[in-house]
Amino acid sequence: MKIVNTSVPKKDALQLLTGQPVYTDDLAPKDCLIVRLLRSPYASAIVKSVNKKAALLIPDIEAVYTWEDLPADAKRFTLAGQTYPEPSPHDHLILDRRLRYVGDPVAIVAGRNEAAVEKALALIKVEYEVLEPLLDPTVAKDNKIIVHPEDDWEALCPVGADNKRNLCAHAESNAGDIEATLADCDIVLDRTYHTKAVQQCMMETYRTFCTIDTYGRLVITGATQVPFHVRRIVALALGIPKSKVRVIKPRIGGGFGAKQTCVSEVYPALVTWLTKKPSKIVFSRYECMTASSPRHETHMRVRLGAMKDGRIRGIDMYAVSNTGAYGDHGPTTVDLTGHKPITLYRTESYRFVADVVYTNNMPAGAYRGYGAPQGMFAVESAVNELAALLGMDAFLLREKNIIHEGDYLPSYYGETNTSCALDRCLARAKELSGWEEKGLCRKLQNGKVRALGMAMAMQGSAIPYLDVGGATLRLGDEGTYNLLIGASDMGTGCDTILAQIAAEVLECDLDAVSVFGVDTDASPYDSGSYASSTTYLTGQAVYQAAAELRRRLTLLAAKLLKCEADEIIFDGKKAAKIDGSGALTLAELAVASQAGNDVALDVTASTKSTASPPPFMVGVAEVDIDTETGEVRPVHYYGVVDCGTCINPNLAKVQTEGGIVQGIGMALSENVTYAPDGRVYENSLMQYKIPSRLDNGRLTVVFEPSYEKSGPFGAKSIGELVINTPGPAIAAAIANAVGARFYELPVTPEQVAMAAAARKKK
Amino acid sequence: MELTLTLNGKKMSRLIEPGILLLDFLRSEGCYSVKRGCETSNCGLCTVFLDDVPVLSCSLLAARAQGRRVTTLEGLRQEAEELAAFIAAQGAEQCGFCNPGFMMNAIALLREKAEPSVDEIRDYLAGNLCRCSGYEGQLRGILAFIEWRKSEKGGAAR
């Protein structure tokens, strides 16, 4: 391989690093109406009346919309960017009379400048009927308070949803007889775990601008991971044909799943559709922290059955996932909470039961890992505690129990583990981190304690039988190529790695491939950038399109050289007859393709997958703990990853490093907590602490690749996997230092200090 | 009110609303590298130079730039491109949204001190948040840039 598996810089790197205007708000027309939302101050209320007269008297105000102004054909929809019919229930309206969380939109204001809009927001008089909110997910099921009592609420898929019971979804799956297995075990560990609704905190907040084009269609430009889903969702929300909507994605300032939900699109879409004027919305960070789509807060009970020799025989998990006010990604995220961690182990039986419940909290959504980090924290923490109980090394316990290549995976949809270097990841992580030499816990001269903890993780690569990857490759001028994609590069570098795959197959320079994405009018259909699908699935589409384009090039050459196609050899630069009697350069073919030619040098390939091959990771956290203050400081994090072939090792490495640091935040500092009235306390980056570069310690990331035959050049996914290990690994390290276990993330200094103090008393 | 300042080397006068923030003023002048990431002076995305000193343009009235020099990344193209190549070589730009503020502050650091230590780099840039990269690649890039600048070739190029 010449270009695949090399660390070429991202194609857009220098443009981004020199600050070129390539993001949504840099591109918005300067005469855009400014759109802002009046948001509910109550966690649960009914809008009795809205008086917008005073607001409309402000000269620069164009429109104020409330629930009464919705188009007659507007139907309930989900904001979740998923393939239709979405598993997420259709429970949203653009504006609803019933308000379900603090921040739920009450009115949309559009005006010609910020000041006027600001003033109008203050002048809108709303009469609310305030209702008692439901804020505790553990009592939400069958509670007397119902978050979605409306009759037009609709679940399109059989996900066990029942709005009258506050159930967004109910799931059960199992293999073997878990009760019999647990009854026969020497040890059954029974523990409950809790993870919070952490925020994606992409640096670019949600934003969208809308215009009307030459043909009277609505053009939506914005920061989204799912342009094709946005097209469908907005059309449904506005009650207009999908063919009237076009979606364009420029550069995105980070996504992490946040932009797999249509958080901001519908509002300017409504304004522009009704006024026929350009409009834009730019979420403030405050809105991004209080009215967005964070990770689902999850309560989990894990029963782990094992023998004294360390054989893990059964895992039973019950999860309650808090989807908040709306069910975006509710039914699907929880699936990963169970199936991803449980699958890491060869067990005789397993069971996973989950309830996804509505509450009057901020609605949850998709965030890197998509439910897996919660479950990984629970199961890996339980396995770490089991190791301690057995007096067995945490690595050794894993070595005895992990799945291997070729294994049948009953808890993973009955798939076969086609590529797996988890065993090698374990060995490498143990060696790399100095696990055996350093010991689990040692006192430092400064009075602190340095401790180690570890955890494993897996994820998937695309959603089998559902996701569609798409790529169009065409021969351009001078023997260059255009690669058109529908997948969204949100900073991850997919434009570049997909071009690497094309260049490898076409045997050309990377610079010869120009990438275009995304415009729903021009790009081939692609489900979008989520579910760790782009490299694996869209990558296959690029591979297939490139292979077919090669074939077409030889066809054209054969026509021109008056021979059969199998007499032509194409080496990327020229197509030559095998007998040496003639040849055409690629540039000559490009010219010929535009003159009297009937061979289309424009190939579109669509791909689906029949499996979701898991990538694997082992993480080791080395942390310093101040047992007086409870402060925990990461010193070094070691990550060993099997993502199959790295299409671009540098980008895979940076993905891993970024994911680890997000995981560190989830483990130690990132928290979403609610006041008794349902307000989020952590409403800015001042209260909600994401790691700065002083908080993460050093990182060492290496790869132990397996080879996934179904992926492009052996590749699996990388993006989501890497956020999973820090939670359980850091919690284990702290436990090793203070002798107490932690069952909730984040582990706060208070909890650590109290545990350390309690130990001293003993 | 009338604001007179030197923006990226160009002297200019503009009528402004007295309450406008420097960040919004700069974007209205086409300096789109200047980004807003928060409202609480926490993220560092909007970093620009005021008389060569890095400041957060979200926390400064444009009026404070009266008679002073303001520099954004648009005004540092060559200096930025030199460092940028090393960050790009690590793939550490990622989504790019935090890049301009990070680049401004990194350039300020490297002007102040030619060979900062790892701890000095992390301290100086602590106010520049990045959610994608985990910071390590940015650090590798800066260290590689320092090495290059030290080398004979780099020294000659400067």
Side-chain angles (χ1 to χ4, degrees), chain A residues 270-552:
Chain A
L270 179 74
V271 168
T272 293
W273 188 250
L274 294 181
T275 63
K276 306 301 176 194
K277 293 179 179 173
S279 73
K280 74 168 177 182
I281 192 166
V282 176
F283 270 41
S284 64
R285 182 60 65 183
Y286 179 89
E287 286 177 297
C288 227
M289 303 306 277
T290 55
S292 49
S293 63
R295 192 181 297 295
H296 290 74
E297 174 200 13
T298 309
H299 292 268
M300 292 152 284
R301 181 184 176 195
V302 175
R303 291 196 299 159
L304 179 66
M307 305 306 281
K308 282 178 186 157
D309 64 1
R311 189 156 46 96
I312 295 173
R313 295 180 55 192
I315 303 175
D316 185 25
M317 185 196 278
Y318 171 63
V320 174
S321 172
N322 180 4
T323 197
Y326 297 96
D328 311 320
H329 301 284
T332 37
T333 44
V334 79
D335 195 45
L336 283 71
T337 303
H339 293 146
K340 294 289 194 275
I342 290 171
T343 300
L344 286 167
Y345 297 95
R346 275 180 177 165
T347 55
E348 292 161 30
S349 59
Y350 90 95
R351 179 170 59 194
F352 175 58
V353 179
D355 288 315
V356 183
V357 295
Y358 284 115
T359 63
N360 293 112
N361 291 141
M362 167 173 33
Y367 179 10
R368 195 179 206 167
Y370 205 73
Q374 295 96 308
M376 220 62 78
F377 169 64
V379 171
E380 285 300 276
S381 290
V383 173
N384 279 329
E385 187 170 351
L386 176 68
L389 278 174
L390 294 170
M392 187 178 283
D393 181 80
F395 273 91
L396 180 62
L397 182 57
R398 263 73 173 200
E399 286 157 16
K400 283 173 177 280
N401 290 290
I402 55 165
I403 51 168
H404 290 265
E405 197 162 290
D407 279 5
Y408 168 72
L409 308 175
S411 54
Y412 197 65
Y413 322 105
E415 288 187 17
T416 300
N417 197 16
T418 45
S419 57
C420 177
L422 183 55
D423 50 351
R424 281 190 276 132
C425 290
L426 276 172
R428 188 84 183 274
K430 190 155 82 173
E431 179 205 328
L432 194 68
S433 62
W435 180 265
E436 280 175 346
E437 307 83 76
K438 288 175 183 168
L440 292 183
C441 171
R442 64 212 138 105
K443 278 224 158 78
L444 302 177
Q445 285 183 334
N446 61 8
K448 293 185 183 179
V449 177
R450 182 161 293 181
L452 292 174
M454 64 83 66
M456 308 190 301
M458 60 174 262
Q459 200 75 33
S461 305
I463 308 172
Y465 301 104
L466 196 64
D467 282 345
V468 176
T472 298
L473 256 172
R474 78 172 57 124
L475 181 65
D477 288 319
E478 299 149 350
T480 60
Y481 301 97
N482 294 98
L483 172 60
L484 286 67
I485 55 169
S488 284
D489 191 331
M490 57 187 126
T492 50
C494 79
D495 286 2
T496 305
I497 64 109
L498 295 174
Q500 284 180 263
I501 292 169
E504 188 71 44
V505 177
L506 291 162
E507 295 183 78
C508 66
D509 292 338
L510 187 65
D511 285 345
V513 183
S514 302
V515 185
F516 172 86
V518 178
D519 179 338
T520 54
D521 272 12
S523 300
Y525 183 85
D526 192 292
S527 310
S529 292
Y530 60 90
S532 288
S533 61
T534 309
T535 303
Y536 177 71
L537 194 62
T538 308
Q540 291 177 55
V542 172
Y543 186 100
Q544 290 177 15
E548 173 60 16
L549 186 57
R550 268 191 85 115
R551 197 185 68 81
R552 300 255 184 107

Side-chain angles (χ1 to χ4, degrees), chain A residues 8 15 74 89 171 219 303 379 400 404 479 587 617 666 703 711 713 733 739:
Chain A
V8 295
Q15 291 292 95
V219 183
R303 291 196 299 159
V379 171
K400 283 173 177 280
H404 290 265
M617 176 168 177
M666 181 180 173
F703 293 91
F713 298 102

